[in-house]
Amino acid sequence: MKLLFCPSCHDIFKLQALFKACICKESHGRYTDDLNAEIGGKGIPIGIDNQSFVNAIRGRKQEGKGTSFDAFVIPFNCKTVKDLENI
Protein backbone atom coordinates (compact mmCIF):
# COMPACT_ATOMS: atom_id res chain seq x y z
CA MET A 1 0.00 0.00 0.00
CA LYS A 2 1.30 3.46 -0.86
CA LEU A 3 0.53 6.62 1.08
CA LEU A 4 1.57 10.19 0.35
CA PHE A 5 2.76 12.60 3.05
CA CYS A 6 2.64 16.35 2.49
CA PRO A 7 5.40 18.20 4.36
CA SER A 8 3.47 21.47 4.08
CA CYS A 9 0.15 20.54 5.73
CA HIS A 10 1.20 17.18 7.27
CA ASP A 11 -1.72 15.41 5.62
CA ILE A 12 -1.22 11.70 4.88
CA PHE A 13 -3.50 9.94 2.44
CA LYS A 14 -3.77 6.61 0.64
CA LEU A 15 -3.16 6.66 -3.08
CA GLN A 16 -5.90 5.21 -5.24
CA ALA A 17 -6.79 5.05 -8.94
CA LEU A 18 -8.51 8.42 -8.82
CA PHE A 19 -6.26 11.46 -8.53
CA LYS A 20 -6.07 12.73 -4.93
CA ALA A 21 -4.46 15.74 -3.32
CA CYS A 22 -3.67 16.76 0.25
CA ILE A 23 -5.63 19.39 2.15
CA CYS A 24 -3.38 22.25 0.98
CA LYS A 25 -3.16 20.86 -2.61
CA GLU A 26 0.67 20.96 -2.63
CA SER A 27 1.03 17.15 -2.87
CA HIS A 28 -0.90 14.86 -5.18
CA GLY A 29 -0.83 11.45 -6.80
CA ARG A 30 -2.62 8.32 -7.95
CA TYR A 31 -2.11 4.66 -8.77
CA THR A 32 -1.70 4.01 -12.51
CA ASP A 33 -2.32 0.26 -12.02
CA ASP A 34 -2.32 -2.21 -9.11
CA LEU A 35 1.36 -1.58 -8.29
CA ASN A 36 2.63 1.62 -9.91
CA ALA A 37 1.92 5.19 -8.86
CA GLU A 38 2.71 8.70 -9.97
CA ILE A 39 3.11 11.57 -7.55
CA GLY A 40 3.68 15.30 -7.82
CA GLY A 41 4.20 18.44 -5.86
CA LYS A 42 5.94 18.15 -2.50
CA GLY A 43 4.59 14.66 -1.73
CA ILE A 44 6.80 12.11 0.02
CA PRO A 45 5.71 8.53 -0.71
CA ILE A 46 5.35 6.05 2.14
CA GLY A 47 5.01 2.29 1.76
CA ILE A 48 3.23 -0.13 4.09
CA ASP A 49 4.10 -3.80 3.84
CA ASN A 50 0.68 -5.30 3.13
CA GLN A 51 1.33 -8.70 4.75
CA SER A 52 2.80 -7.10 7.86
CA PHE A 53 -0.26 -4.84 8.10
CA VAL A 54 -2.69 -7.77 7.73
CA ASN A 55 -0.80 -9.71 10.41
CA ALA A 56 -1.00 -6.71 12.76
CA ILE A 57 -4.75 -6.48 12.22
CA ARG A 58 -5.15 -10.20 12.89
CA GLY A 59 -3.06 -9.83 16.07
CA ARG A 60 -4.94 -6.76 17.32
CA LYS A 61 -5.07 -6.76 21.11
CA GLN A 62 -7.86 -5.75 23.46
CA GLU A 63 -5.55 -3.52 25.54
CA GLY A 64 -1.99 -2.34 25.94
CA LYS A 65 0.44 -1.32 23.28
CA GLY A 66 -0.80 -1.59 19.71
CA THR A 67 0.56 -4.17 17.28
CA SER A 68 3.39 -2.88 15.07
CA PHE A 69 3.68 -3.33 11.32
CA ASP A 70 6.34 -2.45 8.73
CA ALA A 71 6.19 0.94 7.02
CA PHE A 72 8.95 2.81 5.18
CA VAL A 73 9.72 5.99 3.27
CA ILE A 74 9.98 5.08 -0.41
CA PRO A 75 13.34 6.15 -1.89
CA PHE A 76 13.73 8.81 -4.59
CA ASN A 77 14.62 6.16 -7.17
CA CYS A 78 11.86 3.56 -7.11
CA LYS A 79 10.58 1.52 -10.07
CA THR A 80 6.97 1.66 -8.85
CA VAL A 81 6.71 5.40 -8.05
CA LYS A 82 7.16 8.04 -10.74
CA ASP A 83 7.71 11.57 -9.43
CA LEU A 84 6.14 13.80 -12.08
CA GLU A 85 8.10 16.81 -10.83
CA ASN A 86 11.48 15.12 -11.35
CA ILE A 87 11.19 13.37 -14.71
Side-chain angles (χ1 to χ4, degrees):
M1 174 185 326
K2 292 178 181 73
L3 309 175
L4 199 60
F5 169 72
C6 179
S8 295
C9 66
H10 299 156
D11 194 8
I12 296 176
F13 58 94
K14 180 180 181 273
L15 294 178
Q16 55 188 20
L18 297 174
F19 176 86
K20 284 182 80 173
C22 65
I23 293 169
C24 74
K25 309 287 189 235
E26 290 190 17
S27 300
H28 48 85
R30 69 181 183 102
Y31 271 106
T32 56
D33 60 29
D34 288 341
L35 178 63
N36 298 288
E38 56 187 20
I39 63 169
K42 297 180 178 181
I44 299 170
I46 298 169
I48 292 179
D49 181 279
N50 293 342
Q51 191 58 53
S52 173
F53 185 60
V54 169
N55 290 341
I57 290 170
R58 288 182 182 146
R60 186 175 181 200
K61 301 172 184 166
Q62 292 294 323
E63 297 179 14
K65 185 178 176 186
T67 305
S68 297
F69 60 90
D70 295 329
F72 50 94
V73 175
I74 295 172
F76 287 104
N77 297 316
C78 176
K79 291 186 274 186
T80 62
V81 178
K82 182 188 333 181
D83 187 339
L84 300 175
E85 307 295 316
N86 296 311
I87 295 178

